[in-house]
Amino acid sequence: MTTLLLLRACRRPNIAATYTNGYLRASTPNGTPDRRLASTEAAAASVQLANSGDLVGFWQTLSNSTPVAYMQDALIQIHDYSNLPWWSSIVLSTFLFRGVITLPLTIYQQKITARIERIALEMPALVEELKREAAMARQKFKWSDKETSIVYRRSIKKQWQNLIVRDNCHPMKTIIVLWGQIPLWIFQSVALRNLVYMLPDPTTLQAQITATEMTIGGFGWIPNLTVVDSSYILPVTLGLLNLGIIELQAMTRTRPPTRLQNIANHVFRGLSVVMVPVACTVPSALCVYWVASSTFGLAQNMLLLSPEVRRAVGIPKTQTELSQPYDQIWLKIQQKVKLAPPPADKPTTK
């Protein structure tokens, strides 16, 4: 540990350049090569081999891209300043980045969704008025049914666009979270992979120090973050968390799902299952990040269900908002596991 602290101080460019050659040629007092350094050189050689084969084209470009480089620097800075082990530093950086980027975007997205829902309530009255105007124009100008229908549809579209402009809630803004969350997930995943495999340059002292620190920066059953989680605990946890996010969204939906929503749910469930074997093949550092990110996502979704929290962050109240969301979730869970009777069908009126 003392050696790592000393080497960490060499991360500064002016010092790192001085000690690079000496670090690679270091040996033990009896003249035999240091096994740790030999393994580092072997890892560097394997990474260079991978660079010539697997990491080509798009993936190599992404690994060497500027956003990934900035993310690597940010992860190292957070680790150094926090003085936490690498697994805790990864969790801290994940919560920090998602709290700064994806949480505000999610709140903004839900504000837009609520505004759209509220202006949709104004449309029925406008539709009835437009129907009367279209009927009057048809008689006055002797329009055909086709001409009347065209004018009527154009008028509805224009009124809807006017409402959207008035409340500044274009439907395309509802996917704004994806524009922040997906790049963040990709860049941080690739950055962590680079740190584990000492990319893009395995010969630099900083890359070697970080990779060495990760070999002892784990916890519990995974002390080495550069190897896979052979216990499968983290991969299975990742799959359960992702499924939990999908089921939470399904259980809190107040309207019957559309066909497209059902298809999307099945697709995301399949992706959640597929991520489990993928997580079984990547270094544990990536698994820690993915689990931390999914944990934040699940907690964020649970928090933003609370009416009190929604009012506090400025999300307008809507008719579909759940007044007691956590009670409904618990009831739905009980119904799924057969601990509570299914909801009774509404009586039909004759």
Side-chain angles (χ1 to χ4, degrees):
M1 183 60 69
T2 304
T3 304
L4 285 178
L5 292 175
L6 178 62
L7 291 175
R8 186 185 297 177
C10 298
R11 277 206 176 105
R12 293 189 294 270
N14 56 339
I15 300 178
T18 304
Y19 285 96
T20 300
N21 293 333
Y23 180 81
L24 292 175
R25 297 192 185 97
S27 60
T28 56
N30 60 6
T32 59
D34 189 321
R35 291 183 179 179
R36 180 179 63 81
L37 301 182
S39 63
T40 301
E41 292 176 356
S46 65
V47 170
Q48 289 175 346
L49 181 61
N51 285 337
S52 64
D54 298 332
L55 294 178
V56 294
F58 172 78
W59 293 110
Q60 189 172 14
T61 302
L62 180 62
S63 178
N64 298 332
S65 64
T66 300
V68 171
Y70 281 129
M71 180 62 73
Q72 285 183 238
D73 291 339
L75 292 173
I76 292 173
Q77 292 296 327
I78 291 173
H79 171 258
D80 289 347
Y81 281 106
S82 65
N83 203 28
L84 294 171
W86 262 106
W87 75 269
S88 299
S89 178
I90 293 172
V91 174
L92 174 63
S93 62
T94 303
F95 287 0
L96 178 63
F97 293 146
R98 291 212 55 173
V100 171
I101 298 175
T102 62
L103 179 58
L105 290 179
T106 302
I107 293 173
Y108 181 73
Q109 178 198 46
Q110 296 204 16
K111 287 181 181 180
I112 298 299
T113 303
R115 292 175 189 172
I116 292 175
E117 185 176 339
R118 294 178 71 172
I119 66 174
L121 298 177
E122 301 180 33
M123 285 303 296
L126 293 175
V127 167
E128 292 299 323
E129 182 179 352
L130 291 175
K131 283 182 179 179
R132 291 193 298 267
E133 291 179 357
M136 294 173 58
R138 182 176 183 275
Q139 294 179 355
K140 181 177 181 180
F141 300 107
K142 307 300 181 181
W143 288 343
S144 65
D145 291 341
K146 183 177 180 181
E147 291 173 331
T148 305
S149 177
I150 292 174
V151 173
Y152 170 69
R153 287 197 300 268
R154 287 178 179 175
S155 299
I156 290 181
K157 184 178 179 181
K158 183 178 180 180
Q159 288 295 334
W160 177 251
Q161 290 176 342
N162 289 338
L163 292 176
I164 288 176
V165 172
R166 185 195 70 186
D167 288 3
N168 190 22
C169 57
H170 195 283
M172 287 300 295
K173 293 182 178 180
T174 59
I175 64 172
I176 191 172
V177 175
L178 299 179
W179 294 102
Q181 185 169 327
I182 292 179
L184 175 64
W185 190 88
I186 293 175
F187 293 149
Q188 191 164 354
S189 296
V190 177
L192 283 169
R193 188 180 185 278
N194 283 0
L195 293 177
V196 169
Y197 293 121
M198 297 181 291
L199 295 175
D201 186 1
T203 63
T204 61
L205 180 61
Q206 177 172 300
Q208 295 165 358
I209 294 172
T210 301
T212 304
E213 288 177 337
M214 281 192 169
T215 61
I216 59 172
F219 64 95
W221 66 94
I222 46 171
N224 186 350
L225 294 178
T226 64
V227 299
V228 299
D229 181 10
S230 57
S231 68
Y232 305 125
I233 294 177
L234 286 180
V236 172
T237 302
L238 174 65
L240 293 176
L241 286 171
N242 289 337
L243 287 174
I245 294 173
I246 298 169
E247 296 306 320
L248 176 66
Q249 294 174 347
M251 288 187 293
T252 55
R253 188 177 291 117
T254 56
R255 297 174 179 173
T258 63
R259 181 182 178 185
L260 182 59
Q261 288 174 333
N262 283 328
I263 294 175
N265 284 340
H266 291 315
V267 170
F268 287 126
R269 289 188 183 106
L271 291 176
S272 299
V273 175
V274 169
M275 280 297 295
V276 175
V278 172
C280 291
T281 62
V282 300
S284 297
L286 278 173
C287 282
V288 171
Y289 164 59
W290 291 346
V291 169
S293 180
S294 295
T295 300
F296 186 95
L298 182 60
Q300 170 186 277
N301 291 347
M302 288 287 292
L303 183 65
L304 291 179
L305 286 174
S306 170
E308 292 78 11
V309 174
R310 293 172 69 86
R311 299 296 87 75
V313 297
I315 300 176
K317 186 176 181 179
T318 61
Q319 289 186 343
T320 59
E321 181 180 292
L322 299 175
S323 59
Q324 296 179 325
Y326 306 118
D327 292 340
Q328 176 168 329
I329 292 172
W330 178 239
L331 179 61
K332 291 285 185 69
I333 294 175
Q334 289 179 313
Q335 291 172 352
K336 283 182 176 294
V337 297
K338 309 300 182 183
L339 294 179
D345 296 333
K346 295 181 180 180
T348 57
T349 57
K350 296 184 180 180

